[in-house]
Amino acid sequence: MLYHPDKHRDPELKTQAERLFNLVHQAYEVLSDPQTRAIYDIYGRRGLEMEGWEVVERKRTPAEIREEFERLQREREERRLQQRTNPKGTISVGIDATDLFDRYDEEYEDVPGSSFPQIEINKMHISQSIEAPLTATDTAILSGNLSTQNGNGGGSINFALRRVTSAKGWGEMEFGAGDLQGPLFGLKIFRNLTPRCFITTNCALQFSSRGIRPGLTTVLARNLDKNTMGYLQWRWGIQSAMNTSIVRDTKTSHFTVALQLGVPHSFMMVSYQHKFQDEDQTRVKGSLKAGFFGTIVEYGAERKISRHSILGATVSVGVPQGVSLKIKLNRASQTYFFPVHLTDQLLPSAVFYATVGPLVIYFAMHRLIIKPYLRAQKERELEKQRESTASDILQKKQEAEAAVRLMQESVRRIIEAEEARMGLIVVNAWYGKFVNDNSRKNEKVKVIDVTVPLQCLVKDSKLILTEASKAGLPGFYDPCVGEEKNLKVLYQFRGVLHQVMSADNEALRIPKQSHRIDADG
């Protein structure tokens, strides 16, 4: 009714009303037709522009159209699956830095260059794997690795074929060969026994010059409760052992206790990890492991430093292992691992520098490099988003301005009615990006005046907005694409001023007693 051309006599307003009325008419046509409404509910506006819907039978119900969409989506997922290789890789570089703490200065006084500690790379390991989906149930996996330590090394290559046999299980056959070991044949089976219990069995035959070396590993797991898993593992063959562990994983913590009896290693291990609920997904962890090989205490932390990267550091202190610092960087599906061996003895100085050094370096890099880089990257993405949506936003702005002009007469009548009953009157309303924090004072405020559109939505001295972006309301548009937005309203109810600030997607209901401005303040 507000946009109907016959309600406006001014030629310019009449033209603007016709354009907006046509948009309302298009929306009505889509939402009043069960088929197009079902498409819109699933796809949104983009779905209405897609080709091929003309072949869908008109008699289909919304539920059938939704099933058709899900079928098409599954087909697209299968096509995407065929193109995926899901590469995974690990690069590990072992560093011997014991010369920093265990130097024999007297022996090397006369050796040229002996005044500088000797830090060397003593081992490296590189592994890579790719997956090639053959069908919806069959996947081929190719993997390989290369390792070297103190000048000696070797490598191997493996090929595996995995088939999903049912919703309850899958099987995998593996073939491998290497220069240090002979051919390898393996078979792995996974099966859900019950909804809360599963079993995994891995059989392997390793061929070598000494003969055939068989191996068998079986893992039985059960959900003890919503967040807790129990595992029983039996390994026969090379390094036979029995292991039992309990893992509890919640939103804020991860706890593991494990006990192993085996040859040559038996041990008990307890570890705990606390997950902070912050934007950087910070985690701190600690563990204690004691067995026939000695005792190891580890503690460390990890943090998300970008959208796809997680950086972590762990200090390992043990007898007789000594002190080590392990640095790990996860970048998408690639892992870079740098174990740095500092000393063979338990030296307090090594423990101190292994703990404090990475913290100082991280905070310096985060402040001087990472934070400025992420800020610049975010600005580039926002600028790119603004450029791609500039024409659309300009059109929305013109439509919003036209809608505000068409609302003037209706708003005048609403205000007169509200004043007569001492009801709800919107004094001022702004929508967009507000900067209240002193640390962000250099950022530009980007808001638009939405007093008229909000007053137009007032009915019977009430204003109710649902949980959705307010940029889609009549007379609104997005003044700052990709940035956090709020709605600030100053309104009068029963002659008393009220004020409220609402997030963009937050529901809003006014008037409320809690919005009242204290006259003494």
Side-chain angles (χ1 to χ4, degrees):
M1 291 175 63
L2 179 66
Y3 297 151
H4 199 288
D6 293 344
K7 297 180 68 68
H8 303 278
R9 297 178 181 178
D10 183 277
E12 184 179 352
L13 292 179
K14 194 178 186 71
T15 302
Q16 294 171 350
E18 286 177 353
R19 185 169 70 252
L20 294 176
F21 185 78
N22 287 335
L23 292 175
V24 175
H25 181 63
Q26 291 173 11
Y28 174 78
E29 286 185 333
V30 169
L31 300 179
S32 60
D33 184 296
Q35 186 190 33
T36 55
R37 177 161 191 153
I39 295 170
Y40 179 78
D41 287 344
I42 299 168
Y43 274 105
R45 177 174 292 192
R46 186 172 55 182
L48 300 172
E49 300 169 356
M50 289 179 61
E51 296 180 358
W53 288 113
E54 61 274 4
V55 302
V56 178
E57 296 179 30
R58 300 290 302 180
K59 63 183 180 181
R60 288 199 175 186
T61 64
E64 290 172 332
I65 292 176
R66 185 171 282 103
E67 289 176 1
E68 178 71 11
F69 163 72
E70 291 173 353
R71 185 187 66 80
L72 294 172
Q73 191 177 41
R74 284 195 299 270
E75 289 181 358
R76 285 196 301 272
E77 284 295 328
E78 289 180 2
R79 286 196 294 269
R80 277 199 294 265
L81 192 66
Q82 300 292 334
Q83 300 170 356
R84 276 176 46 191
T85 57
N86 193 25
K88 296 179 183 178
T90 300
I91 297 177
S92 177
V93 180
I95 301 173
D96 184 356
T98 54
D99 206 30
L100 290 171
F101 299 95
D102 291 344
R103 295 198 59 178
Y104 296 94
D105 295 331
E106 295 181 359
E107 292 187 17
Y108 294 105
E109 281 182 354
D110 300 329
V111 179
S114 62
S115 58
F116 297 100
Q118 300 296 313
I119 299 175
E120 60 183 21
I121 296 174
N122 59 357
K123 57 183 177 181
M124 292 185 67
H125 175 79
I126 300 175
S127 63
Q128 187 74 30
S129 69
I130 57 172
E131 295 182 0
L134 305 177
T135 66
T137 58
D138 297 335
T139 304
I141 305 167
L142 182 65
S143 61
N145 66 81
L146 293 171
S147 299
T148 177
Q149 183 170 0
N150 297 323
N152 298 316
S156 64
I157 187 168
N158 295 67
F159 174 78
L161 185 63
R162 180 185 300 157
R163 165 167 285 188
V164 178
T165 54
S166 68
K168 292 185 176 181
W170 50 266
E172 181 178 296
M173 288 180 30
E174 181 182 12
F175 306 90
D179 58 347
L180 298 181
Q181 297 177 336
L184 169 73
F185 172 75
L187 179 64
K188 189 173 183 179
I189 299 173
F190 170 87
R191 181 76 178 176
N192 279 315
L193 302 179
T194 69
R196 301 181 60 183
C197 182
F198 69 84
I199 187 171
T200 302
T201 300
N202 187 6
C203 309
L205 294 175
Q206 179 72 62
F207 298 88
S208 66
S209 57
R210 300 178 181 179
I212 301 176
R213 301 166 65 183
L216 175 66
T217 302
T218 300
V219 179
L220 179 66
R222 179 178 173 81
N223 280 97
L224 303 180
D225 63 32
K226 181 181 177 182
N227 302 109
T228 308
M229 289 287 295
Y231 297 90
L232 287 172
Q233 183 187 74
W234 176 58
R235 187 169 62 244
W236 172 78
I238 306 172
Q239 296 187 352
S240 298
M242 291 189 68
N243 182 294
T244 181
S245 59
I246 296 176
V247 179
R248 181 169 178 80
D249 191 16
T250 67
K251 188 178 180 181
T252 59
S253 65
H254 183 94
F255 175 77
T256 303
V257 57
L259 175 65
Q260 176 173 302
L261 298 175
V263 179
H265 296 307
S266 295
F267 64 86
M268 182 175 182
M269 187 268 290
V270 178
S271 70
Y272 177 79
Q273 182 181 92
H274 183 75
K275 307 173 186 177
F276 292 92
Q277 303 303 303
D278 59 352
E279 187 178 315
D280 296 323
Q281 300 177 11
T282 306
R283 301 184 179 189
V284 294
K285 54 187 176 181
S287 68
L288 171 64
K289 189 175 182 179
F292 294 162
F293 53 82
T295 302
I296 299 176
V297 176
E298 291 189 342
Y299 57 90
E302 66 178 38
R303 197 175 194 184
K304 189 175 182 179
I305 59 174
S306 70
R307 185 182 303 173
H308 304 292
S309 302
I310 298 175
L311 180 64
T314 302
V315 179
S316 177
V317 182
V319 178
Q321 290 81 4
V323 181
S324 297
L325 172 65
K326 302 173 184 178
I327 300 172
K328 183 169 72 171
L329 174 65
N330 287 328
R331 172 70 179 173
S333 58
Q334 301 294 314
T335 300
Y336 305 90
F337 186 52
F338 302 92
V340 184
H341 189 48
L342 298 177
T343 174
D344 295 322
Q345 307 174 46
L346 293 183
L347 298 179
S349 58
V351 176
F352 174 80
Y353 285 110
T355 304
V356 176
L359 290 174
V360 173
I361 294 172
Y362 169 76
F363 284 113
M365 289 183 60
H366 186 266
R367 187 174 184 84
L368 301 176
I369 300 175
I370 298 174
K371 203 171 179 179
Y373 171 76
L374 294 177
R375 191 185 301 117
Q377 186 182 47
K378 186 177 180 180
E379 284 297 324
R380 285 195 301 269
E381 290 176 354
L382 284 175
E383 189 61 33
K384 189 175 180 180
Q385 190 176 0
R386 292 190 197 106
E387 290 176 359
S388 63
T389 60
S391 59
D392 186 49
I393 293 298
L394 180 60
Q395 182 182 349
K396 295 290 184 184
K397 180 181 178 181
Q398 292 171 350
E399 291 175 0
E401 291 172 346
V404 169
R405 284 192 288 270
L406 296 171
M407 292 175 181
Q408 297 291 344
E409 183 60 28
S410 295
V411 168
R412 184 184 63 78
R413 292 196 298 269
I414 292 172
I415 291 176
E416 288 177 355
E418 293 296 327
E419 285 178 341
R421 67 174 73 163
M422 293 287 288
L424 176 59
I425 298 174
V426 179
V427 179
N428 278 307
W430 302 270
Y431 173 68
K433 177 184 177 183
F434 296 85
V435 180
N436 299 321
D437 190 352
N438 289 332
S439 63
R440 301 165 58 198
K441 60 184 179 181
N442 293 327
E443 296 185 24
K444 186 179 178 182
V445 178
K446 303 171 185 176
V447 295
I448 57 174
D449 189 334
V450 291
T451 306
V452 172
L454 274 190
Q455 186 68 66
C456 193
L457 294 173
V458 172
K459 185 176 181 181
D460 297 329
S461 298
K462 292 180 182 178
L463 175 63
I464 301 174
L465 302 180
T466 59
E467 291 183 357
S469 176
K470 297 169 179 63
L473 294 173
F476 282 63
Y477 68 93
D478 193 341
C480 44
V481 176
E483 298 185 66
E484 185 179 340
K485 292 174 280 291
N486 290 278
L487 174 64
K488 186 176 183 180
V489 186
L490 178 66
Y491 65 93
Q492 185 175 305
F493 182 67
R494 293 179 181 172
V496 180
L497 284 177
H498 296 63
Q499 184 171 283
V500 61
M501 176 85 84
S502 171
D504 187 25
N505 291 290
E506 183 182 355
L508 178 64
R509 186 186 184 96
I510 58 177
K512 273 190 177 182
Q513 185 70 24
S514 59
H515 300 163
R516 183 168 176 167
I517 299 175
D518 189 356
D520 297 333

